Amino acid sequence: MTRLSVNINKIATIRNARGGNIPDVKQAAINCQLFGADGITVHPRPDERHIRFSDLTEIRPIITTEFNIEGNPSESFIQLVISVNPHQVTLVPDAHDAITSNAGWDTKRHRSFLSEVIARF
C-alpha cells in the first residue's frame, strides 16, 4: 500500500520569508497528520532556508505518524539525525548549495561511504 508523507519544507520557506512564525510549521505538521498523512518529511539544509534545525526538536514530540528526515549525510546532518531520532532517514546526495535535489546515489561508487553512514544510524 502506498503511504503519504508530507514534506513541510515549503511551509517553513514561507514562514522564513515572512519573518515570525506564520505559517506555523509545528501546526502544519499537526494538521497534516490530522488530515490523514501517514508521515511528515523534512529536508534540513545547512543554510536553514527551509526547515530550521531548531524546528526538528520542536516538532519531533508531536509526530504521531512516521517522521522522515532527508538530507546529505554531512557530519552535522548525521549528528542532527542521531539527536532527533526520526523513524526514517533518507540520504540525498545534495551539494551544500543545491537549490533542490536532482539526483540519486551511485550506490556502487559510494557503497563504502553509505555503509558507514547507515551503520552509524
Side-chain angles (χ1 to χ4, degrees), residues 43-63:
H43 186 152
R45 299 197 182 261
D47 62 5
E48 297 188 346
R49 68 179 179 267
H50 301 304
I51 203 82
R52 296 180 188 140
F53 301 146
S54 60
D55 291 329
L56 302 185
T57 56
E58 290 179 24
I59 66 173
R60 178 63 179 103
I62 58 96
I63 302 294

Side-chain angles (χ1 to χ4, degrees), residues 32-93:
C32 288
Q33 294 174 108
L34 287 174
F35 300 152
D38 297 305
I40 301 298
T41 294
V42 295
H43 186 152
R45 299 197 182 261
D47 62 5
E48 297 188 346
R49 68 179 179 267
H50 301 304
I51 203 82
R52 296 180 188 140
F53 301 146
S54 60
D55 291 329
L56 302 185
T57 56
E58 290 179 24
I59 66 173
R60 178 63 179 103
I62 58 96
I63 302 294
T64 58
T65 57
E66 180 182 78
F67 188 34
N68 175 42
I69 301 176
E70 58 182 36
N72 189 344
S74 65
E75 186 58 34
S76 61
F77 177 81
I78 292 168
Q79 291 302 318
L80 178 67
V81 168
I82 289 170
S83 71
V84 173
N85 193 28
H87 300 101
Q88 179 176 315
V89 178
T90 303
L91 303 179
V92 181

